[in-house]
Amino acid sequence: MRGRRFVVGDGVTVADFVLAYTLDWGNEAKLLGDCPGLLSYMERMYARPNAPPRIAQALASIAAK
């Protein structure tokens, strides 16, 4: 990810969302302590304007099952 804003190309793709989710999981397991660039990338993805509502929708969907 060094020098890149997104995983593939010049704009956000599904790959970015999958990576952000995976990095979040890794961060919860305390695996990203030595990777400030990856933490910054994950935070940038979650800071996108549509991220909080989409995450809330996904969690509500899971809770409803």
Side-chain angles (χ1 to χ4, degrees):
M1 289 300 300
R2 189 168 288 145
R4 302 180 65 125
R5 289 189 62 212
F6 303 104
V7 175
V8 180
D10 296 327
V12 68
T13 65
V14 171
D16 292 291
F17 303 129
V18 172
L19 179 56
Y21 173 79
T22 303
L23 290 172
D24 194 11
W25 175 86
N27 188 47
E28 291 296 317
K30 310 286 189 238
L31 300 174
L32 300 181
D34 296 350
C35 305
L38 291 177
L39 286 169
S40 175
Y41 168 82
M42 178 189 70
E43 290 166 0
R44 196 170 65 248
M45 288 299 109
Y46 281 137
R48 294 176 57 81
N50 288 331
R54 297 270 167 83
I55 293 167
Q57 289 172 347
L59 290 175
S61 173
I62 292 168
K65 293 182 179 182

